[in-house]
């Protein structure tokens, strides 16, 4: 319970934008984990099924055979690409949300300065905190997610090449 309280206090310190960053980050990591789950648990049986369908086919050299091969590869491609392009979009969105937090935090600082003057640093501290925390959070989460996104993209390309190589045509 204390952890939840500390997390809530931290998110409130960063302002409303930090809450948005938190939810976008949660969404990002859910998508990343889902893609890893797919590649490690669901992809191999799907790939084996499509390769077995291709291997069971007697004709592998006609135009129809090539279209069937493309269909089997396209099914794999679509399943591997599902949500994969969302990951870099969310990674790019997080620093932008951090900058939005900076702007809204600076607006808070300027409002305090307009009402109380610049001689009250305690009053301005909340705005400065709301300006810097979202920026840091957005950048840190993005930087942590980039290696995972890169590895998933490389895995997608490698698996597509491997599946295509395992479904040879004979001309």
């Amino acid at each position: 319970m204390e952890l939840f309280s500390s997390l809530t206090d931290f998110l409130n310190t960063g302002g409303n934008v930090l809450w948005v960053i938190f939810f976008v980050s949660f969404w990002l990591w859910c998508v990343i984990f889902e893609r890893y789950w797919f590649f490690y648990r669901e992809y191999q049986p799907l790939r084996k099924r499509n390769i077995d369908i291709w291997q069971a086919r007697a004709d592998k050299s006609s135009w129809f055979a090539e279209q069937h091969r493309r269909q089997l590869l396209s099914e794999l491609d679509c399943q591997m690409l599902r949500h994969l392009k969302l990951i870099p979009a969310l990674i790019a969105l997080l620093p932008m949300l951090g900058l939005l937090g900076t702007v809204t935090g600076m607006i808070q600082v300027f409002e305090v300065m307009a009402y109380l003057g610049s001689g009250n640093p305690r009053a301005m501290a909340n705005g400065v905190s709301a300006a810097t925390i979202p920026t840091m959070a957005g950048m840190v989460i993005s930087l942590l997610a980039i290696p995972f996104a890169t590895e998933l993209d490389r895995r997608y390309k490698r698996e597509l090449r491997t599946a295509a190589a395992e479904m040879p045509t004979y001309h």
Side-chain angles (χ1 to χ4, degrees), residues 70-89:
R70 285 184 185 185
Q71 175 195 356
L72 293 171
L73 288 173
S74 180
E75 288 172 4
L76 291 175
D77 187 27
C78 288
Q79 288 297 316
M80 285 190 290
L81 268 180
R82 196 176 87 226
H83 304 305
L84 202 59
K85 298 298 180 188
L86 180 62
I87 295 171

Side-chain angles (χ1 to χ4, degrees), residues 4-156:
F4 180 74
S5 176
S6 298
L7 178 64
T8 304
D9 290 344
F10 174 74
L11 291 171
N12 288 332
T13 303
N16 292 335
V17 175
L18 192 57
W19 281 97
V20 174
I21 289 172
F22 174 75
F23 288 116
V24 171
S25 301
F26 182 75
W27 184 19
L28 170 67
W29 290 106
C30 285
V31 172
I32 288 173
F33 287 131
E34 185 274 335
R35 288 290 78 199
Y36 273 104
W37 178 266
F38 171 79
F39 278 115
Y40 284 109
R41 293 287 185 187
E42 298 173 11
Y43 174 70
Q44 294 304 327
L46 181 66
R47 184 176 129 227
K48 183 178 179 344
R49 180 186 65 91
N50 283 13
I51 290 172
D52 289 345
I53 290 170
W54 177 253
Q55 296 299 334
R57 186 180 175 92
D59 171 31
K60 293 185 177 81
S61 61
S62 69
W63 180 85
F64 291 108
E66 179 61 28
Q67 299 313 308
H68 188 221
R69 178 180 178 271
R70 285 184 185 185
Q71 175 195 356
L72 293 171
L73 288 173
S74 180
E75 288 172 4
L76 291 175
D77 187 27
C78 288
Q79 288 297 316
M80 285 190 290
L81 268 180
R82 196 176 87 226
H83 304 305
L84 202 59
K85 298 298 180 188
L86 180 62
I87 295 171
L90 293 175
I91 288 172
L93 179 64
L94 284 165
M96 297 302 126
L97 289 172
L99 289 174
L100 178 63
T102 299
V103 171
T104 57
M106 291 310 296
I107 288 171
Q108 287 177 5
V109 170
F110 294 139
E111 285 177 350
V112 167
M113 288 174 65
Y115 291 120
L116 301 176
S118 61
N120 191 345
R122 279 187 179 261
M124 292 189 299
N126 285 341
V128 171
S129 175
T132 55
I133 290 175
T135 305
M136 177 198 63
M139 283 196 261
V140 166
I141 295 165
S142 291
L143 289 172
L144 290 173
I146 287 172
F148 294 99
T150 303
E151 200 276 328
L152 283 168
D153 188 57
R154 287 181 182 163
R155 176 128 191 208
Y156 155 71

